[in-house]
Amino acid sequence: MTDKTAPITHASAKAGRTPRKPQQDRGHERVASILDACSRILQRDGEAGLTMHHLAKESGTSIGSLYHFFPDKKSVLAALNQRHTDALCAITKRLEQINDQVWKRLSTAQMVERLIVPFLEHITCHPDIHVLLSPTLGDRHLPSPALRAAVRSIYEKVLHVRLPDASAEDLRAYSAVLLSIPAGLFHSIPEADESRERIWLQEIPRALTGYLDTLGC
């Protein structure tokens, strides 16, 4: 049997054409584009400005194609929420790979910069998270319980390395503070506050460094 695909591939190569990406890859790119557009709309217009027609226009997607990937607005928001959760989980996994000896030799400020600031940077760079966490969006919660548990676990591990004499109860309390201070400020600082970025990337690390210094960390 003659291989009919070989001449076509060869002709395409001679013509300098780029082979089309597999359908699955194009689908992933389209979904990413839709979620990027959803993020922009939430940042610019809030949840009230997010409609399927507005999202189709913002993402350059036909309304039919949009409904092919997402049946409704709720499913888009859930997917955007999951993308942020996955990104924060990836940060946690990278932190888990750091050797204990590295954590031991860092100063307290350096430890905060390496352990906590990556999470703060992600939240600062993605203001749509503030909308995703608003009470009006009901069942979309960031971080998820599993993510929160994973972050708390890595905090406790690093604190144990630096405070080997601390009890398990102490480590749970210290890690709870490291989680609670950013979470409390997230909900108390208005999204429009011009000093929000400074608070997240400068003042929170400063406060956490001071707290850990008092523990001898």
Side-chain angles (χ1 to χ4, degrees), residues 65-84:
S65 180
L66 177 59
Y67 277 112
H68 171 74
F69 292 109
F70 297 103
D72 51 31
K73 182 173 80 172
K74 182 178 179 179
S75 64
V76 180
L77 291 168
L80 181 60
N81 183 89
Q82 187 61 52
R83 184 164 76 166
H84 286 306

Side-chain angles (χ1 to χ4, degrees), residues 137-159:
L137 292 187
D139 62 348
R140 280 165 288 281
H141 299 290
L142 243 174
S144 68
L147 171 59
R148 185 178 180 87
V151 174
R152 188 164 182 172
S153 177
I154 187 64
Y155 284 1
E156 289 183 16
K157 173 194 169 184
V158 173
L159 290 172

Side-chain angles (χ1 to χ4, degrees), residues 65-150:
S65 180
L66 177 59
Y67 277 112
H68 171 74
F69 292 109
F70 297 103
D72 51 31
K73 182 173 80 172
K74 182 178 179 179
S75 64
V76 180
L77 291 168
L80 181 60
N81 183 89
Q82 187 61 52
R83 184 164 76 166
H84 286 306
T85 299
D86 291 345
L88 295 171
C89 283
I91 293 172
T92 302
K93 290 185 181 300
R94 288 195 296 271
L95 293 174
E96 290 172 346
Q97 303 305 312
I98 298 176
N99 187 277
D100 288 355
Q101 296 305 314
V102 174
W103 292 119
K104 284 182 180 179
R105 65 173 176 256
L106 296 175
S107 69
T108 306
Q110 289 171 334
M111 193 237 338
V112 169
E113 179 72 22
R114 191 138 185 196
L115 180 65
I116 299 172
V117 169
F119 296 107
L120 304 181
E121 287 177 336
H122 181 84
I123 293 170
T124 301
C125 292
H126 298 88
D128 56 299
I129 290 178
H130 190 86
V131 182
L132 287 170
L133 284 171
S134 66
T136 60
L137 292 187
D139 62 348
R140 280 165 288 281
H141 299 290
L142 243 174
S144 68
L147 171 59
R148 185 178 180 87

Side-chain angles (χ1 to χ4, degrees), residues 33-55:
S33 176
I34 292 169
L35 296 182
D36 289 342
C38 180
S39 175
R40 292 194 298 273
I41 293 171
L42 291 178
Q43 293 178 47
R44 187 178 63 234
D45 307 320
E47 193 227 344
L50 181 64
T51 66
M52 294 298 274
H53 283 278
H54 191 184
L55 182 57

